[in-house]
Amino acid sequence: MKNRREFLLKSAIGATGLVLAPTWLQGAPALIKSYNKPDSKINGVQIGCITYSFRSMPDQSLEANIRYIKESGISAVEMMGEPVEYFAGMPQPTFNRMRGFQLGGKQRRGEELTESEKAELADIRQQSEAYAKVASDWRTKTDFKKFEQAGKLFKEAGITLYAFKPNAFGVNNSDLEVAYGMKAAKILGADHVTLEHPSDDAQTLRLGKLGDTNKMKVGYHGHEQQTFGFWDTALSQSSSNGLNFDAGHYIAAGHTDMMELIQKQQGRIWSMHVKDRQIPANGKGNLPWGTGNTPIADILQMIRDKKYKFPATIELEYQVPEGSDAVKEVQKCLEFCRKALA
């Protein structure tokens, strides 16, 4: 009898015999499928990250970004456009676009650029204008097979892509480019695209209408220009328009009504960036989580307790300490979230 029981058990574990397995074994395929895959949904709160967090890592390919996400323990992501688009065959620029993004962000935060940095940023912007024409031509002619392949890579890694942020939604981008970006997002599995708020009512109206047409939500990101009513016009223009809210920047702007804003707009917040910044009186700095003034734990607990549906996106903006790297720091941020939501 013992030998017969062992034989039956081994047969049940086999691929063709799983249907014969006892109840406790019938979950084996799901267990095998999820093995070695990240899970950053904590007590109902989806913790994600934006791949901008990995900008300091040496390899910026799509495959490397997926590896960074997975090693960080993150199972959902807001994906910057370039790694996916380069994977899909878009010509790469000869200048450092990420460097331009970093310097532009520094400028937007009100940080003083050195004269050499100003000259560097001006040169990058000039080259960007010429490159935009090359990218536009590629985007309006490309097929989407490589985007399908990219989507499979995320799925195989156990990562959900909930937002896509290509540089295709600006005032100077054609309607064809916008439609391209929304279609690519849909193929990748995203339910919304994100961009910096253009501070242009005509543009948010245009994007909202294109979002309606392409059945894709549009999340507008804000920096220190965010206010309680910052998104009101865009929200009134289209049900596709929503918030890509940034809690850290809101604190650095000196506002004290963030929890009320989140509660008011929770149904139109497509995703939210989380970072720890200081209030203006303390210097507005970006700091390791738990050492600034952003009430991160309170925000996460409110999302959990009120069962809000939008993801909380880790955005690593503080200086990576010597001897560490971006992956290790995102891991620390995720651990902070786990403790806050325990």
Side-chain angles (χ1 to χ4, degrees), residues 28 32 36 66 73 81 94 172 204 263 283 297 307 313 329 334:
I32 293 168
N36 200 31
I66 290 174
T94 56
N172 295 322
T204 55
Q263 290 180 72
K307 295 181 170 56
T313 306
E329 296 307 308
L334 179 58

Side-chain angles (χ1 to χ4, degrees), residues 221-245:
H221 184 66
H223 292 264
E224 290 178 36
Q225 82 273 42
Q226 294 175 127
T227 63
F228 199 87
F230 180 62
W231 295 269
D232 286 356
T233 298
L235 297 184
S236 70
Q237 292 170 332
S238 168
S239 60
S240 295
N241 284 340
L243 284 66
N244 178 232
F245 178 59

Side-chain angles (χ1 to χ4, degrees), residues 34-305:
S34 63
Y35 178 70
N36 200 31
K37 291 184 178 179
D39 182 5
S40 58
K41 192 167 189 177
I42 308 166
N43 286 335
V45 181
Q46 180 62 71
I47 305 298
C49 75
I50 181 169
T51 52
Y52 176 71
S53 299
F54 304 117
R55 63 196 176 279
S56 61
M57 299 298 285
D59 186 349
Q60 290 297 312
S61 66
L62 175 62
E63 295 88 347
N65 270 270
I66 290 174
R67 185 171 69 251
Y68 303 148
I69 298 163
K70 191 172 179 179
E71 289 175 355
S72 297
I74 298 292
S75 58
V77 70
E78 176 183 354
M79 187 73 208
M80 298 293 286
E82 285 84 351
V84 182
E85 290 182 298
Y86 297 154
F87 175 83
M90 188 170 78
Q92 296 195 33
T94 56
F95 58 95
N96 190 339
R97 290 195 72 244
M98 186 57 71
R99 175 62 175 164
F101 200 84
Q102 291 170 334
L103 290 173
K106 188 175 178 180
Q107 191 177 63
R108 284 193 300 272
R109 292 191 296 271
E111 299 175 29
E112 188 66 29
L113 298 182
T114 65
E115 289 304 314
S116 63
E117 285 177 333
K118 290 178 184 177
E120 183 182 7
L121 181 58
D123 182 58
I124 289 173
R125 284 176 172 167
Q126 186 176 14
Q127 293 185 68
S128 293
E129 290 181 13
Y131 175 71
K133 296 177 182 178
V134 175
S136 175
D137 185 61
W138 179 83
R139 285 170 175 152
T140 54
K141 294 178 180 177
T142 189
D143 65 35
F144 290 88
K145 291 180 181 177
K146 293 291 285 187
F147 285 95
E148 294 172 2
Q149 291 178 29
K152 289 178 182 177
L153 291 178
F154 282 103
K155 188 173 182 179
E156 288 168 0
I159 299 165
T160 299
L161 194 152
Y162 57 81
F164 187 46
K165 191 174 186 176
N167 188 29
F169 306 122
V171 173
N172 295 322
N173 293 110
S174 68
D175 287 0
L176 284 175
E177 283 185 272
V178 173
Y180 147 87
M182 292 180 174
K183 182 175 180 180
K186 191 174 294 185
I187 291 171
L188 292 167
D191 67 9
H192 66 284
V193 296
T194 57
L195 69 149
E196 308 302 311
H197 194 297
S199 298
D200 181 330
D201 294 346
Q203 179 66 358
T204 55
L205 176 61
R206 174 188 173 223
L207 292 176
K209 287 183 175 180
L210 287 168
D212 295 341
T213 300
N214 291 280
K215 295 181 172 56
M216 179 58 60
K217 295 185 291 187
V218 184
Y220 298 96
H221 184 66
H223 292 264
E224 290 178 36
Q225 82 273 42
Q226 294 175 127
T227 63
F228 199 87
F230 180 62
W231 295 269
D232 286 356
T233 298
L235 297 184
S236 70
Q237 292 170 332
S238 168
S239 60
S240 295
N241 284 340
L243 284 66
N244 178 232
F245 178 59
D246 193 300
H249 292 325
Y250 201 77
I251 287 295
H255 303 304
T256 59
D257 56 1
M258 179 171 60
M259 304 302 274
E260 291 84 356
L261 172 62
I262 293 172
Q263 290 180 72
K264 177 186 176 183
Q265 302 291 11
Q266 57 86 19
R268 299 292 292 275
I269 297 176
W270 304 152
S271 55
M272 178 183 71
H273 285 195
V274 183
K275 58 174 70 73
D276 207 348
R277 290 196 66 182
Q278 296 170 308
I279 59 174
N282 293 337
K284 298 187 177 184
N286 268 296
L287 301 178
W289 287 26
T291 63
N293 300 124
T294 309
I296 298 176
D298 292 341
I299 295 168
L300 295 176
Q301 289 162 12
M302 182 171 71
I303 297 171
R304 177 196 64 194
D305 297 343

